[in-house]
Amino acid sequence: MSTWQPADPEATRELGRRLAGVLRAGDLVVLTGDLGAGKTTLTQGIGAGLGVRGQVASPTFIIARAHPSLGEGPDLVHVDAYRLQSLAEVDALDLDSSLEDSVTVVEWGEGMVEGLAEDRLEVMVGRPRGGLRDAEEVADAGARTVTVHAHGPRWEGVDLSAALGDPVDASGTGR
């Protein structure tokens, strides 16, 4: 398990770009965190790093959105499971049919999609708490904490700290 503290949304996107450098077709990334924590921002970086078509935005109301690769890399399937109520609804999305050929990122997927793949990255995105009055303040509140926990044989021997760079403190400088 490794933890980073990107200082701002652009640093969170950059962490996503670096993460994309180790992702390949068949990888499942499960994102967890409070509303406004930066899950979609991290996914935007993953999309940029994979070189996919289309604006990566939260698919809250459409549930899942596919972003085809503009190059030789895998497509990105971006899912928002926030509105899903059961495993049956996850099954209805038929994510396992595209999992082998795509990188699949699922926001709010904890407890719902782990059965899709033994090999997965579970990413917790935390945000500052306390004293924030509204959603805009939360979104602009600064440093986040991003913790990546790898599961399964696919990730054995993969040094995420080396691939993603040294964990950073809130100022954006290395520790």
Side-chain angles (χ1 to χ4, degrees):
M1 183 165 35
S2 299
T3 300
W4 290 263
Q5 289 184 311
D8 55 32
E10 188 49 45
T12 302
R13 283 185 199 91
E14 179 57 31
L15 188 62
R17 281 185 204 92
R18 289 189 222 146
L19 181 58
V22 298
L23 295 173
R24 62 184 187 207
D27 285 341
L28 173 64
V29 180
V30 182
L31 300 179
T32 305
D34 292 335
L35 190 63
K39 297 177 297 295
T40 299
T41 302
L42 185 70
T43 306
Q44 289 169 342
I46 292 170
L50 291 175
V52 299
R53 183 176 51 207
Q55 177 184 3
V56 175
S58 179
T60 300
F61 295 102
I62 61 168
I63 311 297
R65 178 178 285 134
H67 296 274
S69 174
L70 292 172
E72 300 296 318
D75 296 344
L76 171 65
V77 175
H78 183 197
V79 179
D80 187 327
Y82 184 76
R83 297 187 179 284
L84 301 181
Q85 301 294 316
S86 68
L87 293 175
E89 288 180 310
V90 172
D91 285 343
L93 293 175
D94 202 23
L95 294 175
D96 52 349
S97 70
S98 63
L99 187 65
E100 191 174 301
D101 300 320
S102 304
V103 169
T104 303
V105 176
V106 183
E107 296 186 33
W108 303 97
E110 182 179 37
M112 298 187 82
V113 299
E114 292 86 351
L116 289 172
E118 174 186 10
D119 300 310
R120 65 186 178 280
L121 292 179
E122 292 179 1
V123 181
M124 173 62 175
V125 184
R127 62 173 170 81
R129 293 181 169 270
L132 303 176
R133 294 184 300 265
D134 59 32
E136 188 172 318
E137 255 185 278
V138 168
D140 295 334
R144 302 304 201 244
T145 300
V146 178
T147 303
V148 180
H149 189 209
H151 294 270
R154 149 76 172 104
W155 298 104
E156 289 176 11
V158 176
D159 185 350
L160 289 172
S161 292
L164 301 180
D166 291 330
V168 293
D169 61 28
S171 69
T173 60
R175 287 187 197 176

